[in-house]
């Protein structure tokens, strides 16, 4: 079994699967503490985003594969604001 990581995930009404927005984190608690920050960042750039689902999820990588990187990792690390 591969590495396991926890993420902040975002699901829109149009998406069948949640997008991995931020992570991976070593624990569910660490990811949970970032949910509001992701919600605020996304809703600043998109009014409809207030209706989306913000949650945490666990991902286990395939053996020999790295865990994916959250799509907002670089933006939030740099302190950028939503456009």
């Amino acid at each position: 079994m591969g590495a396991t990581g926890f993420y902040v995930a975002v699901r829109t009404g149009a998406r069948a699967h949640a997008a991995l927005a931020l992570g991976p984190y070593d624990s569910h608690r660490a990811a949970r503490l970032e949910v509001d920050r992701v919600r605020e960042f996304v809703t600043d750039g998109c009014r409809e985003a207030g209706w989306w689902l913000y949650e945490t999820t666990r991902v286990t990588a395939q053996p020999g594969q790295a865990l994916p990187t959250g799509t907002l990792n670089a933006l939030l690390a740099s302190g950028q604001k939503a456009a």
Side-chain angles (χ1 to χ4, degrees):
M1 215 168 192
T4 297
F6 296 87
Y7 295 82
V8 177
V10 180
R11 185 185 315 267
T12 69
R15 292 184 66 97
H17 300 286
L20 300 177
L22 196 61
Y25 292 96
D26 292 333
S27 70
H28 175 261
R29 184 179 191 292
R32 180 70 191 112
L33 290 172
E34 298 295 336
V35 170
D36 289 338
R37 185 164 73 120
V38 170
R39 180 184 294 112
E40 181 179 324
F41 180 82
V42 175
T43 56
D44 279 352
C46 177
R47 286 180 46 185
E48 302 86 35
W51 296 100
W52 298 349
L53 176 64
Y54 299 84
E55 60 189 353
T56 58
T57 191
R58 182 177 71 187
V59 173
T60 301
Q62 295 295 322
Q65 299 292 317
L67 286 166
T69 300
T71 57
L72 298 179
N73 282 12
L75 292 174
L76 289 173
S78 72
Q80 263 187 289
K81 298 290 183 192

